């Protein structure tokens, strides 16, 4: 028996489930299809983000940071810890509980918003502007009819040729979040977001971590001054980051992996690791969608081709999130999902790509929005810069976390904020003020004149804004 819907969303990650909820809020009869299974074979909506991405990685980052503090940080506060132990099974169990709470939360939200949920794989059977037949292959097979389809099928980890993921020795993000015993030696290929976050988790828990990065610069997309500071701080913690390496043969043995590589000077090395995480980017996922069967166009890199409004080449078929161009971030996927639902309703959904924040949840955290100094130089934009170190911030001193800085970049003539870059404590939270300011096209003087609570880390933001005009008060 077929069921008719106004909107069918394929994929229940942050792009898909949020699109479905917004579509339902707007009065559409909406369905969401997601195939992710929990360990019991039941539904686990939330996609990569909830199951093997944002949420479990942040749970482990938090747990491992507590462990690191108990190990090395508490003594300074006069707290003496004796007999400290690590129960990794419990730590991983807590992470799994946090994931499940999020899966259940999404199922609850579907119910609350009257979104029909289908557990299984969705694929295009046939269709045109009058409607699409979508086959759902789950416990049973059924066909549903959609006036509008939103594809939000996400992405998968990219493997290195000749080193497929076995999730036992050669790990993608999935395996990296579930190592059952702290490896003595952990290799990480790729010093990007996953490499640094997961490398930090396992280093804090006791692994000797070696990161091998192809590019000669550390975090090339990050503002250079911030990236240099972050590199210094992370290296000091013991994360060994090797830049400019060329990876050769990778061989998985019985209990270890060997990686041949040449370093930046061209010298050959072989690394022997108990586990190897490969985090060299992600590829769009259109497996099993039958895109070709209905003529849904992909671009040359395998992403679903969309215009600025997330419209595909097929009438009434839209695509959002990791499966389309743009940064692979959960909040970008969500914004696109909301905008598409609103466009279907005839509203003017909008995503401002200039104000999408980035956060790397290392310690200290790295966060930014807008242009970097190197981008402004390349674009020939005249700008003023202001920085303020957390060392001069009273709250940071009280916290015992004074590493890093806030940096403002503003237009030389108009003073409009063009970029804000932070490496330091709670950068993930502090960046929101900069995002709001840039959305309202504020000047650095606007932030400098706003009252910020004392003592708070946000005063470093205000002071960096003051520093643009060379009038920081506490530095
Ligand atoms: P996904 O979350 O990948 O969801 C796609 C869903 O569609 C999946 O459930 C999949 O099973 C399902 N699906 C696919 N094909 C079909 C089909 N044919 N039928 C039915 N279902 C299908 N981003 C951040 O912003 N902040 C972070 O802190 C962060 N941390 C991350 C940490 C890690 C380790 C990783 C790997 C990623 C992280 N990301 C983070 C990125 C974030 O997870 C992605 O950008 C986000 O999940 C993309 O959302 P999406 O909805 O496009 O796709
Ligand atoms: P990434 O793109 O962040 O980093 C990949 C790194 O691997 C790059 O530095 C690249 O130069 C390097 N690399 C590529 N090929 C290589 C090779 N052959 N040898 C050595 N190095 C190589 O990708 P990553 O870390 O896999 O994460 C994927 C995406 O997931 C991120 O880009 C981000 O969009 C998202 N993510 C977001 C997080 C957040 O917002 N906090 C956390 C984790 C992931």
């Amino acid at each position: 028996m077929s069921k008719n819907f106004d909107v069918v969303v394929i994929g229940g990650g942050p792009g898909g489930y949020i699109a479905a909820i917004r579509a339902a809020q707007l009065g559409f009869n909406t369905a969401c299809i997601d195939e992710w299974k929990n360990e019991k074979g039941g539904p686990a909506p939330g996609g990569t983000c909830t199951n093997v991405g944002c949420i479990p990685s942040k749970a482990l980052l938090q747990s491992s940071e507590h462990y690191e503090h108990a190990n090395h940080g508490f003594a300074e506060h006069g707290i003496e810890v004796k007999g400290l132990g690590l129960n990794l099974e419990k730590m991983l169990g807590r992470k799994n509980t946090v994931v499940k709470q999020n899966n259940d939360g999404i199922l609850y939200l579907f119910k609350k918003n009257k979104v029909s949920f289908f557990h299984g794989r969705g694929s295009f059977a046939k269709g045109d502007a009058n409607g699409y037949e979508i086959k759902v292959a789950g416990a049973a097979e059924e066909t549903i009819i959609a006036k509008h389809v939103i594809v939000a099928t996400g992405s998968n980890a990219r493997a290195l040729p000749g080193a497929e993921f076995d999730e036992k020795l050669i790990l993608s993000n999935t395996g990296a979040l579930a190592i059952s015993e702290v490896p003595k030696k952990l290799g990480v290929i790729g010093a990007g977001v996953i490499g640094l976050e997961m490398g930090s988790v396992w280093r804090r828990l006791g692994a000797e971590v070696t990161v091998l990065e192809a590019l000669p610069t550390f975090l090339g997309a990050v503002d250079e001054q911030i990236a240099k500071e972050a590199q210094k701080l992370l290296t000091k913690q013991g994360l060994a980051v090797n830049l400019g390496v060329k990876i050769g043969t990778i061989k998985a043995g019985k209990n270890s992996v060997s990686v041949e590589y040449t370093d930046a000077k061209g010298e050959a090395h072989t690394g022997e690791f108990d586990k190897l995480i490969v985090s060299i980017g992600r590829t769009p996922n259109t497996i099993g969608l039958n895109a070709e069967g209905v003529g849904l166009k992909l671009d040359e890199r395998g992403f679903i081709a969309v215009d600025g409004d997330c419209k595909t080449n097929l009438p009434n078929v839209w695509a959002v999130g990791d499966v389309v161009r743009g940064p692979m971030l959960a909040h970008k996927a969500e914004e696109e999902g909301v905008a598409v639902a609103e466009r279907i309703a005839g509203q003017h959904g909008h995503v401002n790509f200039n104000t999408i924040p980035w956060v790397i949840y290392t310690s200290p955290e790295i966060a930014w929005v807008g242009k970097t100094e190197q981008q402004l130089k390349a674009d020939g934009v005249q700008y003023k810069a202001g920085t303020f170190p957390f060392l001069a911030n009273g709250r940071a001193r009280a916290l015992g976390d004074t590493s890093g800085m806030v940096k403002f970049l503003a237009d030389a003539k108009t003073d409009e904020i063009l970029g804000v870059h932070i490496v330091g404590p709670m950068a993930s939270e502090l960046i929101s003020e900069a995002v709001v300011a840039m959305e309202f096209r504020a000047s650095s003087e606007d932030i400098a004149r706003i009252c910020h609570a004392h003592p708070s880390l946000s005063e470093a933001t205000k002071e960096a804004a003051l520093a643009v005009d060379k009038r920081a008060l506490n530095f």
Side-chain angles (χ1 to χ4, degrees), residues 17 22 35 63 136 209 245 263 327-328 334 338 347 349 372 454:
Y17 91 78
R22 185 70 189 120
E35 65 178 342
S63 298
V136 185
V209 181
V245 307
D263 64 20
M328 287 185 168
E334 291 181 11
V338 167
Q347 299 181 3
T372 62
H454 176 78

Side-chain angles (χ1 to χ4, degrees), residues 10-16 33-36 44 46-55 57-58 120-123 152-155 173 177 194 197-198 282 285 287-289 320-323 327-331 333 359 361:
I10 307 178
I33 310 167
D34 188 82
E35 65 178 342
W36 207 294
T48 301
C49 169
T50 301
N51 292 295
V52 290
C54 325
I55 300 300
S57 62
K58 268 79 254 179
R121 172 166 291 187
S123 59
T153 46
S155 63
N173 53 298
L177 288 158
I194 295 180
E197 289 188 2
M198 295 316 300
R282 299 179 62 80
N285 171 32
I287 301 164
L289 195 59
V320 301
D322 280 11
V323 80
M328 287 185 168
L329 294 173
H331 42 284
V359 179
Y361 294 81

